[in-house]
Amino acid sequence: MSIPEANTLAELIDDCTALPEELTGTGTTTPEPGAAAPWRVDESNYAQVVDLDAYV
């Protein structure tokens, strides 16, 4: 398979922005906003940043 090279900046931009359907999600349903469970901070999350004040 041969991929033609872009001759203009516009063609290059078009080539770079043309993503495969698998990556864009076209044709698939997306969950409704708010469908995911709310994120909560637990002890393991908090433990990761316990010493944050020492770095900032």
Side-chain angles (χ1 to χ4, degrees), residues 13-33:
I13 292 170
D14 286 342
D15 289 347
C16 292
T17 57
L19 296 175
E21 188 174 305
E22 297 85 30
L23 298 177
T24 61
T26 306
T28 60
T29 58
T30 56
E32 292 294 318

Side-chain angles (χ1 to χ4, degrees), residues 35-55:
W39 186 76
R40 305 240 187 263
V41 176
D42 61 15
E43 291 301 317
S44 65
N45 300 124
Y46 183 75
Q48 293 176 358
V49 294
V50 167
D51 296 325
L52 181 63
D53 292 333
Y55 296 104

